[in-house]
Amino acid sequence: MILLSCVVSASNAILRYGLDMSNNWPLELQWYLFAAAVMLGASYTLKRNEHVRVDLIYSYASERTRIWIDLFGLALFLMPACLLFSWLSWSTLFYPSWLVMEHSLNSGGLPRYPIKFIVPFGFFMLSLQGLSEIIKRIGMLKGKYTLPANDLNYEKPWQ
């Protein structure tokens, strides 16, 4: 999506400055692609354990304590926030936009309701991945599942 956004940007520049043609849809399409990359990439980033963290005690804790810290954070912070944001963005952002088939007010603009669907869908996908991570951590506590070493050890900053 990011590569496609760059291609759209380059083609828009050629149209605007090379051929003296201007249109709003390429700019809006870039915004839509970037928003989709962010919202849909969040669950993949969680799966890969690549989210930014502030590590104050985690690196000094035992493996079992790390699992409990992850479980606590996933269950008490990530899941409620994702479910709340999924519901709120569906009911106040996407659904009203879809009912009126909202379009951009700009000349040549794109429909808005498809990109507004990406917001609740992205949070829903993140909550599914969060549920998967909770199940993995419970399995680890019971001794029935082993995570790769990368999933419990985070990169430390260069010293």
Side-chain angles (χ1 to χ4, degrees), residues 2-18:
I2 300 298
L3 176 62
L4 185 56
S5 180
C6 292
V7 170
V8 169
S9 177
S11 62
N12 190 32
I14 292 169
L15 287 174
R16 176 172 285 169
Y17 300 112

Side-chain angles (χ1 to χ4, degrees), residues 9-151:
S9 177
S11 62
N12 190 32
I14 292 169
L15 287 174
R16 176 172 285 169
Y17 300 112
L19 302 175
D20 200 26
M21 297 171 55
S22 182
N23 212 332
N24 285 327
W25 70 265
L27 182 60
E28 290 186 7
L29 182 59
Q30 285 177 288
W31 295 343
Y32 290 9
L33 289 169
F34 184 70
V38 170
M39 290 306 300
L40 300 177
S43 56
Y44 178 73
T45 304
L46 181 61
K47 180 184 186 313
R48 303 259 319 177
N49 197 30
E50 295 289 332
H51 279 282
V52 175
R53 297 176 187 236
V54 177
D55 181 11
L56 299 176
I57 59 170
Y58 198 85
S59 62
Y60 302 107
S62 68
E63 183 176 318
R64 190 161 184 84
T65 303
R66 290 179 186 182
I67 296 168
W68 277 107
I69 291 170
D70 286 347
L71 196 54
F72 177 78
L74 290 165
L76 294 179
F77 295 109
L78 180 74
M79 293 304 291
C82 284
L83 294 173
L84 177 67
F85 293 152
S86 294
W87 176 71
L88 287 175
S89 59
W90 177 272
S91 62
T92 63
L93 183 70
F94 166 70
Y95 189 64
S97 179
W98 179 68
L99 286 176
V100 297
M101 296 291 159
E102 181 182 8
H103 277 68
S104 170
L105 297 177
N106 295 323
S107 174
L110 299 174
R112 291 265 168 99
Y113 59 92
I115 195 60
K116 288 186 176 184
F117 173 74
I118 295 295
V119 177
F121 183 70
F123 280 116
F124 176 71
M125 294 303 291
L126 184 57
S127 65
L128 287 180
Q129 185 59 43
L131 182 62
S132 171
E133 297 299 320
I134 288 171
I135 292 169
K136 289 178 198 176
R137 297 315 190 270
I138 292 171
M140 289 178 67
L141 288 172
K142 290 183 176 184
K144 296 182 180 183
Y145 186 80
T146 304
L147 281 178
N150 296 357
D151 282 359

